[in-house]
Amino acid sequence: MTTTARLLLVEFLNRDRFSQYRSEMFPFVHGHARAQGLAARWLAFGFDPTTLPEGPFRMALPEDEAAALEAAARALAPTHVLLNEELTAPLAARLRAAAPDACLTVARLGDGPSFEHVLELDDWLAGRPPDRSPAGEAALAASPYVADEVVPDYAGELVGPLARAIRPLTFVVGGPHCLYARPLARNPAFAAVDLGAAHRAAGCSFCGEGAVRGYPYRTPPVALALRQIRAALATLPPERAGGGFALWGAAAVLRVHEVFEAVLAEGLPPLSLFVAFRIDELRRKAPHIEALLPRLAAAGHTLELYNMGVENLSPAENVRLNKGITAEDVTAVHALVTRWEATWPDAFRFARHGGFGFILFTPWTTLDDVRINLDVAERLGVVSKLLLTSRLQLLPERPITALATRDGLTLPRGAATTLGGFDSGCILTADGYELPWRFRHPEAGALYAVLRRLWPAPDVAEDEPLRRRVAALVAAAPQVLREPAPFARILLDAAAEEPRPTDGAAL
């Protein structure tokens, strides 16, 4: 590695703390550079994805923050600039002018390095192009993992009022996000589906993660998590220290009780640990977690549960999603988390982070599917805007997209559709896109069209005729029927009448 390399890390922090991408390795890159004696500086800027001029994944900055980035680049004269998001052309031009000799790289994007292996990081800092030959790939695979070898350094600077207000999460690297690997080959819904172009052959059929793989590191999951937490407590700037830690790996999440046991044993200061469980996993681990909660409460620690997907309560729909959970699982876990929140409100939090996640409408949805979901959700008290307006996003190379294509339910990219805008959080890059699709059962599409106008999305114009008709219908209804559950049942019954409505206006 050249000793003259100078590194500038530029991180963009999403206002939605759970939508932070491609910067989880920044502390390791920063720590490695500093350990090698390289000049390194880390700047973090906040952004609101709804206000960016070119969409949520091309960054622009207010003038004072853009000027601060320019000044930092001129002062450091970096040879390498690592970003976690792409820039709009004007901001990219300003950065290139301020650092004309720098190699600008977006982590984990296109050919951008992942920094999983020490060799990859050293090659990048030395200006050596990656060796894509079989021998080069073998050498890379044999190289130690950065997470095993490098002590991370979290001493980044928050620039601007938004960055300081976000209180970003500190991600704890821990291997694959999910270890669920039920083969699609065993799923009867995919028996005659060509998955040759799909990016995975196991796990949830709509998931964006690649092929499911096991825990890769030499360091055991709990020890790896504790090493990062300790380093963060030692190096995080004060204004970033209170945001909490997100366990970013299923192996650590499944051992979160062991992580907390280690935290308690070391007497670390009160921590908030954010975890994303599968429902069946949480059901299995519940005895360990319940035994731990009184001790967390006594010590001031908090277990923050977020991103736990039900997806769909209809057995037929969940087969297509290859989700592998049942309504019984959901009912049991709902009872657990409700009781835990009531008993230990300061040590366990779930509902405040959005509760359960859903995918209610898909290309195959029937009115019976909706009714099953509504029956269970109403019994559990989780009927919400999120449930009633959620739908599947079909992205390229996903197994579920291959199934929809086989069934003739996808439309060409860019084709007109009545689906409207919806953000499930599955599109993660500026060039990401979803494929439009149609409902096999038009009456389900009519129901979706009306439901999404109960809480109009930004793409629904205020003067749109259907939006105005729905608003008038709601205004004329008795107050008791304006709640989501009874109103949805009225619409569901109307959609089932013959002749069944084929669009929102008819419904």
Side-chain angles (χ1 to χ4, degrees):
M1 182 194 311
T2 175
T3 57
T4 58
R6 295 176 301 280
L7 173 65
L8 178 62
L9 298 111
V10 182
E11 183 183 24
F12 294 94
L13 301 169
N14 196 314
R15 185 190 64 177
D16 176 0
R17 300 194 304 154
F18 300 111
S19 297
Q20 184 65 27
Y21 307 115
R22 293 174 289 277
S23 62
E24 68 275 9
M25 295 302 292
F26 275 36
F28 291 92
V29 177
H30 194 221
H32 187 61
R34 287 193 161 186
Q36 300 298 319
L38 305 181
R41 189 175 179 187
W42 177 359
L43 303 179
F45 301 85
F47 75 96
D48 181 342
T50 66
T51 64
L52 291 174
E54 296 181 21
F57 298 108
R58 291 196 191 280
M59 299 297 110
L61 290 173
E63 176 55 35
D64 58 336
E65 295 179 20
L69 176 58
E70 282 184 289
R74 288 199 174 93
L76 182 62
T79 58
H80 295 74
V81 176
L82 181 63
L83 308 104
N84 68 311
E85 299 288 1
E86 295 184 87
L87 307 179
T88 56
L91 185 58
R94 292 178 69 166
L95 180 56
R96 289 190 180 280
D101 299 323
C103 167
L104 269 62
T105 303
V106 181
R108 295 182 179 271
L109 194 64
D111 292 330
S114 66
F115 301 118
E116 287 196 344
H117 294 276
V118 173
L119 178 61
E120 181 185 41
L121 177 52
D122 282 344
D123 281 350
W124 181 71
L125 286 171
R128 293 189 292 265
D131 183 353
R132 304 298 188 193
S133 70
E137 294 292 343
L140 179 63
S143 171
Y145 280 97
V146 168
D148 282 324
E149 299 294 323
V150 175
V151 177
D153 187 327
Y154 299 82
E157 307 163 43
L158 298 179
V159 182
L162 181 55
R164 289 188 286 272
I166 288 171
R167 298 178 68 246
L169 293 169
T170 297
F171 289 93
V172 177
V173 172
H177 297 176
C178 183
L179 300 175
Y180 170 64
R182 181 190 178 199
L184 287 159
R186 298 181 189 172
N187 187 325
F190 289 84
V193 178
D194 181 4
L195 296 178
H199 74 309
R200 58 176 12 212
C204 296
S205 63
F206 55 91
C207 181
E209 289 293 307
V212 180
R213 56 193 178 98
Y215 182 76
Y217 303 125
R218 182 183 70 249
T219 310
V222 175
L224 183 63
L226 261 292
R227 181 191 301 164
Q228 294 171 70
I229 290 171
R230 289 191 211 101
L233 291 174
T235 61
L236 274 170
E239 64 270 23
R240 193 165 180 169
F245 294 87
L247 294 187
W248 208 238
V253 169
L254 292 172
R255 296 169 177 82
V256 66
H257 56 291
E258 297 177 33
V259 175
F260 265 126
E261 289 285 2
V263 166
L264 289 165
E266 291 192 22
L268 296 180
L271 301 177
S272 294
L273 290 188
F274 290 77
V275 297
F277 265 105
R278 276 179 54 89
I279 284 172
D280 52 342
E281 293 170 347
L282 183 61
R283 192 178 183 186
R284 291 197 305 272
K285 297 293 180 178
H288 299 289
I289 293 173
E290 183 155 342
L292 186 67
L293 287 174
R295 298 169 60 206
L296 296 186
H301 300 299
T302 309
L303 176 61
E304 312 268 5
L305 182 60
Y306 75 102
N307 192 28
M308 189 161 62
V310 170
E311 313 323 347
N312 204 287
L313 292 157
S314 162
E317 291 276 58
N318 249 343
V319 165
R320 284 184 282 265
L321 299 174
N322 206 43
K323 184 68 181 180
I325 63 170
T326 65
E328 181 190 357
D329 290 327
V330 178
T331 300
V333 166
H334 177 268
L336 284 171
V337 297
T338 301
R339 178 164 53 80
W340 291 348
E341 282 194 294
T343 308
W344 298 286
D346 295 325
F348 180 80
R349 296 168 183 159
F350 173 58
R352 71 175 59 187
H353 302 308
F356 294 106
F358 296 96
I359 303 174
L360 179 57
F361 288 96
T362 78
W364 303 272
T365 300
T366 67
L367 297 184
D368 285 342
D369 292 325
V370 178
R371 195 175 300 279
I372 291 169
N373 277 271
L374 195 55
D375 286 346
V376 179
E378 193 169 13
R379 185 174 72 246
L380 299 179
V382 296
V383 179
S384 65
K385 167 190 173 181
L386 177 63
L387 167 64
L388 295 175
T389 64
S390 60
R391 70 164 173 85
L392 181 66
Q393 285 189 289
L394 291 182
L395 275 68
E397 300 181 356
R398 307 286 170 93
I400 194 75
T401 305
L403 178 62
T405 300
R406 192 278 311 270
D407 290 347
L409 299 173
T410 56
L411 301 171
R413 185 180 177 184
T417 174
T418 59
L419 290 174
F422 178 73
D423 180 14
S424 65
C426 291
I427 295 178
L428 307 180
T429 63
D431 59 355
Y433 65 93
E434 66 171 309
L435 290 171
W437 51 267
R438 66 180 182 85
F439 284 93
R440 172 178 279 176
H441 305 280
E443 63 274 17
L447 178 60
Y448 174 72
V450 174
L451 287 172
R452 71 182 299 265
R453 284 163 177 81
L454 289 175
W455 303 274
D459 65 303
V460 181
E462 289 188 16
D463 61 348
E464 185 213 52
L466 182 56
R467 174 173 174 171
R468 287 193 283 108
R469 292 178 67 175
V470 171
L473 184 63
V474 172
Q479 185 63 42
V480 69
L481 297 184
R482 296 184 193 179
E483 295 300 314
F487 205 88
R489 286 202 177 279
I490 292 170
L491 292 170
L492 186 58
D493 290 342
E497 291 183 3
E498 298 293 346
R500 292 192 169 186
T502 58
D503 59 38
L507 176 57

